[in-house]
Amino acid sequence: MKYENQMQLSFPSKSVNESFARSAVACFAAQLDPTLDELGDIKTAVSEAVTNCIVHAYPDQLGTITLRARLLPGNVLDLIIRDRGRGIENVEQARTPMYTTGGAERSGMGFTIMESFMHELKVTSLPGKGTTVHMKRKIVRRGEKP
């Protein structure tokens, strides 16, 4: 698919990098002139995706998280967050609200939040190979109806 601009980052699965990832995507998305609400939604979805990598993909070790952002025609922000961690046995079950493998302190709402804040969400995973979260969000141009 043809894109108008892109960036890619790779960083260790350290919790301090969650805020780095959301800030980097927010800065990149700023060229689409999003509203503060749109930007907040995007940052939250990225935060959830990166946190899932940190908590679930690499629970006992550091790994690498790759984030790719592209601007597609029609004011669409296209995001891919990928890890090469332990993967998800059952993606459908993992996308069920309140389901978690992260212990009592986890809410199990990560995928639900991503889905509610983005216009498209696709999750692919292979056990032992990693997980890819692909999200898209159309940014409404000022004066245009959503």
Side-chain angles (χ1 to χ4, degrees):
M1 179 175 284
K2 187 164 174 69
Y3 57 87
E4 297 170 0
N5 200 0
Q6 74 168 348
M7 70 157 194
Q8 184 166 310
L9 303 169
S10 292
F11 48 90
S13 59
K14 294 182 175 187
S15 60
V16 297
N17 286 330
E18 175 270 326
S19 62
F20 165 68
R22 60 187 274 138
S23 295
V25 169
C27 289
F28 183 77
Q31 61 195 296
L32 294 175
D33 194 26
T35 64
L36 289 177
D37 286 343
E38 289 171 323
L39 206 51
D41 290 352
I42 291 163
K43 289 168 64 176
T44 300
V46 168
S47 179
E48 292 294 333
V50 170
T51 298
N52 276 356
C53 296
I54 294 165
V55 171
H56 300 290
Y58 306 111
D60 303 318
Q61 64 185 13
L62 282 180
T64 300
I65 300 169
T66 303
L67 185 155
R68 184 180 77 183
R70 297 185 306 171
L71 301 181
L72 303 180
N75 246 27
V76 174
L77 177 65
D78 180 67
L79 301 170
I80 294 177
I81 293 102
R82 176 176 291 138
D83 67 65
R84 299 288 181 216
R86 59 185 207 186
I88 301 170
E89 290 283 335
N90 184 331
V91 172
E92 186 177 328
Q93 183 181 37
R95 290 184 66 168
T96 303
M98 308 300 286
Y99 177 82
T100 184
T101 59
E105 72 279 357
R106 310 307 310 174
S107 71
M109 295 298 291
F111 288 130
T112 302
I113 291 168
M114 287 180 241
E115 192 168 35
S116 68
F117 287 158
M118 303 300 279
H119 293 133
E120 290 182 36
L121 173 68
K122 181 179 179 187
V123 181
T124 56
S125 189
L126 289 171
K129 302 286 186 183
T131 301
T132 300
V133 173
H134 190 174
M135 303 182 283
K136 291 182 182 179
R137 172 76 184 239
K138 179 172 176 36
I139 303 301
V140 178
R141 296 185 193 275
R142 309 283 171 139
E144 193 178 276
K145 292 183 179 181

